[in-house]
Amino acid sequence: MVTLVGATKNFSDTNKIGQGGFGSVCKGRLSTGKDIAVKRLSRDSKQGLKEFKNEVILIAKLQHRNLVRLLGCCILGEERILVYKYMPNGILIGFLHFWFAQ
């Protein structure tokens, strides 16, 4: 958890790249230089521990080259976090444009 807090500068609003019904997503950078996207579930979300674990298992089983890769998760007390490979804006659009332009 300490690594994720440091990577996202304590989940700073300046690192926030998205917001959804279940929480916010921040961009982070690990000490290795690898960029990550960290989804921190809101404590107000109605998702319980069982549902969170089921989501992690489902995402892990759905690993595919066209989906963002789940790198890990964290459950610490009430904190529930998903860590994904970071995909900069425009990468998917560029890929689709290249694919359909062929």
Side-chain angles (χ1 to χ4, degrees):
M1 180 68 177
V2 173
T3 300
L4 298 178
V5 169
T8 61
K9 296 186 173 117
N10 199 22
F11 302 98
S12 162
D13 282 344
T14 58
N15 286 7
K16 192 174 182 179
I17 56 175
Q19 178 72 38
F22 290 112
S24 61
V25 180
C26 289
K27 180 181 178 185
R29 176 163 287 159
L30 298 174
S31 60
T32 61
K34 184 175 190 167
D35 288 332
I36 56 173
V38 181
K39 180 179 178 184
R40 185 180 193 192
L41 273 66
S42 167
R43 293 192 176 145
D44 295 334
S45 86
K46 304 297 182 212
Q47 189 176 40
L49 184 58
K50 181 180 177 182
E51 291 84 4
F52 179 78
K53 287 180 178 180
N54 286 337
E55 181 178 349
V56 170
I57 290 167
L58 180 64
I59 293 169
K61 287 181 179 180
L62 288 176
Q63 296 294 323
H64 187 274
R65 67 184 182 103
N66 293 336
L67 296 174
V68 177
R69 182 164 299 275
L70 177 68
L71 300 176
C73 67
C74 176
I75 301 170
L76 183 63
E78 294 296 313
E79 199 75 71
R80 293 177 180 89
I81 296 175
L82 297 171
V83 181
Y84 293 96
K85 178 180 177 183
Y86 176 74
M87 298 288 289
N89 284 337
I91 286 183
L92 180 59
I93 294 298
F95 173 78
L96 292 174
H97 176 71
F98 172 78
W99 181 259
F100 289 108
Q102 297 292 323

